Amino acid sequence: MILETKNNSMAGCRALKRNETFKSRMANDSGVESSPRAQQNQPSDMELMKEKFAKLLLGEDMSGGGKGVSSALALSNSITNLAASVFGELKRLEPMPAETKAKWRKEIGWLLSVTDHIVEFVPCNQKSKDGTNMEVMVTKQRSDLQMNIPALRKLDAMLIDCLDSFKDQNEFSYVSKDDQSEDGKNSRNDDKWWIPTPKVPPNGLSDPMRKWLQFQKDSVNQVHKAAMAINAQVLSEMEIPESYIESLPKKGRASLGDSIYKSITDEYFDPDYFFTTMDLSSEHKIVDLKNRIEASVVIWRRKMNAKDGKSAWGSAVSFEKREIFEERAELVLLILKQRFPGIPQSTLDISKIQYNRDLGQAVLESYSRIIESRAFTIMSRIEDVLQADATVQNPSNGEVKRSLPDTEEVGKTLLDFIGWTVDQEDNNTKKDLKEDSTKDVDLKFLCKPPNIVTNKRFSYLENLGMCRSPTARH
């Protein structure tokens, strides 16, 4: 009898313990911390960092079979995936949550810490104990990383501060796509239908708010252009993979097609007229044009570097003409990037990133790319608010055209970033130019396309395997 009572008591204790364990698990699943022990089970920052770098070392192949990607590509993917998980599409102009902001700063700091250990040897004067001076080699962070990483961090912080500045604004709000009220009827009907539509007061925004939004847009635009310049520079320094070169045709004309080839190789080349003849109605067609032109530039560059005229890459076209064709193609690429900054990467860019083995370049390319993309998204959201304000003020306009850079704006950007100037030999051309304090060039008023003189040449496609361009590109 006593034994039976003891067994019943033990069974009851076990059932009670199982019940408490079940409740504890349910509480943890619902996000409720039931005890301090549950808090201790949360992974620490050190454990999270160890896990992240372990995946990088394994090349994203957790089986350990050595089938993973290179460390450079794994690091690039990690930065890209982190930005996607933290920022997403930035559907609204609002501050980031404190937890999300802290996560971004912490984890991007981990990934960028790799660059602190990428060094180069530099000479340094050192004084010995007996007073003699000697020159020794010391290590310091690689020069491209030392210059660009702090700049990118500053640009990143500026974008976060820009979003934080919208904390106290109360002049516009957002209408969800699921809203079936009268306000919901004004939701957007374009390809970004899931992005909420901004709603402004019946009389529009106040003048201070409108000016402040324009100021924010201009500031973010400067961040966008700086990040885009760094990204283009890094991509130009990456080596072109042999697999990409082997996939190219032997002639640039075969890559471009007859119509594009005739436009670029014509005696007088007008970039503004060139774009009016191109079909750029879809994202796919824009990327296809960029792929064709980049491939032709690589082909022409290899022809100029071919030492043997009988080589498969040799050409009957003179060196001077080939160089002119290359410069025109690069001008088209730069205008494409300015007019359509949100288009996907080209085949050449994807190939470079995939086969790149330089960790420093992988960090700079991915970090600048996500900053460029985020800045473009913020500008688009600000333009949505300004467009809603313009529509309210003048409903007869209907849909306000979004501000994309025209040829004039692209020309100014080229002058700002690349240092290109216009040959002033033609007196008739001089009279058609706008004479203002800044002496900006308006390409729309040129009767004859000017000769482009490149004091500081810029190229998307600098390295061609072991081949180097015959003239300095930077």
Side-chain angles (χ1 to χ4, degrees), residues 215-227:
F215 171 77
Q216 293 295 329
K217 178 185 173 183
D218 294 340
S219 300
V220 175
N221 186 34
Q222 295 301 318
V223 174
H224 177 262
K225 291 196 292 186

Side-chain angles (χ1 to χ4, degrees), residues 238-249:
M238 286 186 179
E239 182 179 350
I240 300 179
E242 289 296 330
S243 59
Y244 177 83
I245 297 177
E246 293 172 357
S247 66
L248 298 178

Side-chain angles (χ1 to χ4, degrees), residues 128-139:
S128 61
K129 294 182 180 179
D130 57 0
T132 59
N133 292 324
M134 63 180 65
E135 190 176 76
V136 296
M137 301 298 290
V138 296
T139 59

Side-chain angles (χ1 to χ4, degrees), residues 39-87:
Q39 297 179 358
Q40 296 176 359
N41 293 332
Q42 297 294 329
S44 62
D45 289 348
M46 180 63 69
E47 292 173 346
L48 290 174
M49 185 170 62
K50 288 180 179 179
E51 180 182 359
K52 186 173 291 291
F53 279 98
K55 292 180 180 179
L56 293 177
L57 291 173
L58 291 171
E60 301 178 352
D61 177 21
M62 305 308 291
S63 67
K67 299 180 181 179
V69 299
S70 65
S71 298
L73 182 57
L75 188 57
S76 176
N77 291 339
S78 296
I79 294 176
T80 303
N81 295 335
L82 175 61
S85 64
V86 170
F87 298 104

Side-chain angles (χ1 to χ4, degrees), residues 312-454:
W313 290 95
S315 174
V317 182
S318 65
F319 178 89
E320 291 76 13
K321 287 187 176 180
R322 189 71 60 190
E323 193 170 23
I324 293 175
F325 299 162
E326 177 198 342
E327 290 179 356
R328 291 175 176 179
E330 289 184 350
L331 176 60
V332 173
L333 289 174
L334 288 167
I335 296 177
L336 271 177
K337 188 154 183 78
Q338 289 294 328
R339 285 194 176 183
F340 308 99
I343 61 174
Q345 292 173 314
S346 64
T347 302
L348 177 59
D349 292 343
I350 294 174
S351 181
K352 282 185 173 184
I353 296 171
Q354 181 179 358
Y355 291 96
N356 172 53
R357 294 295 182 269
D358 190 307
L359 286 170
Q361 289 181 341
V363 172
L364 289 178
E365 191 283 325
S366 57
Y367 195 24
S368 61
R369 170 163 40 86
I370 63 174
I371 292 176
E372 175 187 342
S373 176
R374 186 153 37 107
F376 176 73
T377 303
I378 295 176
M379 281 195 299
S380 298
R381 302 296 172 262
I382 297 177
E383 284 180 352
D384 288 342
V385 178
L386 295 175
Q387 178 177 338
D389 175 59
T391 304
V392 168
Q393 288 184 345
N394 192 359
S396 60
N397 290 339
E399 183 179 357
V400 179
K401 184 178 179 181
R402 300 175 68 84
S403 57
L404 287 176
D406 56 9
T407 310
E408 178 182 1
E409 184 177 348
V410 174
K412 293 179 183 178
T413 305
L414 293 177
L415 294 174
D416 292 339
F417 281 96
I418 310 167
W420 285 0
T421 58
V422 178
D423 191 2
Q424 301 293 334
E425 294 180 358
D426 192 346
N427 294 328
N428 294 329
T429 303
K430 284 183 180 180
K431 298 178 181 179
D432 295 330
L433 297 178
K434 291 182 178 179
E435 297 181 2
D436 53 10
S437 58
T438 57
K439 297 183 180 180
D440 289 331
V441 179
D442 189 347
L443 298 180
K444 292 182 178 179
F445 290 89
L446 293 181
C447 299
K448 173 182 173 183
N451 296 324
I452 302 294
V453 180
T454 54

Side-chain angles (χ1 to χ4, degrees), residues 107-354:
E107 297 195 16
I108 194 63
W110 294 346
L111 297 173
L112 295 180
S113 65
V114 174
T115 60
D116 295 336
H117 305 278
I118 301 177
V119 297
E120 60 186 357
F121 284 101
V122 294
C124 178
N125 291 325
Q126 191 177 68
K127 192 172 185 179
S128 61
K129 294 182 180 179
D130 57 0
T132 59
N133 292 324
M134 63 180 65
E135 190 176 76
V136 296
M137 301 298 290
V138 296
T139 59
K140 74 166 188 176
Q141 189 179 24
R142 211 169 71 185
S143 56
D144 59 334
L145 301 174
Q146 188 179 25
M147 177 177 60
N148 290 320
I149 291 296
L152 291 173
R153 282 183 175 273
K154 180 64 176 178
L155 297 177
D156 186 7
M158 290 173 65
L159 293 181
I160 294 177
D161 292 341
C162 176
L163 291 177
D164 289 342
S165 64
F166 288 92
K167 178 180 180 181
D168 298 326
Q169 76 81 23
N170 54 7
E171 291 199 26
F172 65 88
S173 58
Y174 288 92
V175 179
S176 175
K177 182 68 179 178
D178 299 330
D179 189 358
Q180 300 299 325
S181 64
E182 290 296 324
D183 294 331
K185 295 180 180 180
N186 298 325
S187 59
R188 63 172 71 217
N189 296 318
D190 56 12
D191 55 346
K192 297 290 186 180
W193 54 266
W194 60 89
I195 304 296
T197 305
K199 176 185 175 182
V200 298
N203 297 328
L205 300 173
S206 62
D207 288 339
M209 172 59 73
R210 193 177 299 112
K211 293 179 180 178
W212 181 78
L213 280 175
Q214 188 62 46
F215 171 77
Q216 293 295 329
K217 178 185 173 183
D218 294 340
S219 300
V220 175
N221 186 34
Q222 295 301 318
V223 174
H224 177 262
K225 291 196 292 186
M228 184 169 56
I230 294 176
N231 185 263
Q233 177 67 24
V234 175
L235 283 173
S236 71
E237 294 173 353
M238 286 186 179
E239 182 179 350
I240 300 179
E242 289 296 330
S243 59
Y244 177 83
I245 297 177
E246 293 172 357
S247 66
L248 298 178
K250 298 303 180 183
K251 295 182 178 180
R253 184 168 191 161
S255 174
L256 291 175
D258 292 338
S259 60
I260 302 178
Y261 180 81
K262 290 179 181 179
S263 298
I264 291 182
T265 59
D266 194 12
E267 182 179 1
Y268 299 119
F269 175 69
D270 184 357
D272 189 54
Y273 175 75
F274 173 81
F275 279 102
T276 61
T277 62
M278 294 293 106
D279 183 6
L280 304 176
S281 57
S282 66
E283 187 177 85
H284 172 75
K285 293 179 180 179
I286 298 172
V287 176
D288 180 67
L289 176 62
K290 185 178 180 181
N291 287 334
R292 289 173 178 270
I293 295 179
E294 283 184 340
S296 66
V297 172
V298 174
I299 295 171
W300 289 335
R301 190 75 56 75
R302 290 183 66 87
K303 287 180 181 292
M304 288 191 296
N305 283 277
K307 296 180 179 180
D308 185 2
K310 298 180 181 180
S311 172
W313 290 95
S315 174
V317 182
S318 65
F319 178 89
E320 291 76 13
K321 287 187 176 180
R322 189 71 60 190
E323 193 170 23
I324 293 175
F325 299 162
E326 177 198 342
E327 290 179 356
R328 291 175 176 179
E330 289 184 350
L331 176 60
V332 173
L333 289 174
L334 288 167
I335 296 177
L336 271 177
K337 188 154 183 78
Q338 289 294 328
R339 285 194 176 183
F340 308 99
I343 61 174
Q345 292 173 314
S346 64
T347 302
L348 177 59
D349 292 343
I350 294 174
S351 181
K352 282 185 173 184
I353 296 171
Q354 181 179 358

